[in-house]
Every structure is written in C-alpha cells, then in structure tokens.
Amino acid sequence: MILPDKHITISQSLLGLGGYILTVLDSPQTIDELWQQLEKTLGSPKFPTKHTFENMILALNFLYMIRAIDYTPEGKIETCA
C-alpha cells in the first residue's frame, strides 16, 4: 500500500496520497484543516481513492521523513522550500 504496483494504483498508495497532499498544502495548515480540505476531494474524480485519516497521518510521516514538509512553531504543517 505504500508504493504502487501491478495491483495498487498510484491514488491508492501512500506515495500518491503524499503527492496529492503536497499539491493541496499551499499555505501552513493544522492537521484538522488539512483533513477537512482533503476530505472534500478524496473519492472524487480529482482524486479517485477514498483514504482514511490514519492514511493521511502515515503519508504525512513519510513526507516529514523525506523532508518534503515541516512543522511551524505554532504546530502547523508547511511544505519545505
């Protein structure tokens, strides 16, 4: 489920969800704000797979480990420059 393969599409993988999170994260947001924004489009034609809150947390952990996102002193998530 982390990486796409023959049976898992990119939108079903955590890697694909992480990429989508980066496109949505245009300004620093809290986890709740980000989830509310993602919840509107997950499962729609824009991003066809419905993910859970837990999957979003796993994708955020992955993005943090590869230094694609960081946390502000206020606890908001932002993309790294």
Side-chain angles (χ1 to χ4, degrees):
M1 173 134 174
I2 294 173
L3 297 172
D5 65 9
K6 185 164 68 171
H7 302 289
I8 296 175
T9 64
I10 189 75
S11 67
Q12 293 172 329
S13 69
L14 293 179
L15 182 66
L17 179 59
Y20 186 63
I21 288 172
L22 289 176
T23 64
V24 171
L25 197 59
D26 51 1
S27 63
Q29 298 178 21
T30 64
I31 289 178
D32 291 333
E33 292 168 345
L34 181 60
W35 176 244
Q36 288 175 357
Q37 190 172 1
L38 284 175
E39 215 173 18
K40 295 175 188 173
T41 57
L42 291 176
S44 71
K46 190 170 184 177
F47 194 83
T49 303
K50 185 76 173 154
H51 282 277
T52 62
F53 182 79
E54 289 80 17
N55 283 353
M56 183 193 75
I57 297 299
L58 290 172
L60 288 173
N61 287 338
F62 171 72
L63 291 173
Y64 183 76
M65 285 189 297
I66 64 168
R67 297 184 181 174
I69 62 168
D70 204 359
Y71 295 92
T72 65
E74 297 84 27
K76 293 186 176 191
I77 304 165
E78 65 181 356
T79 57
C80 291

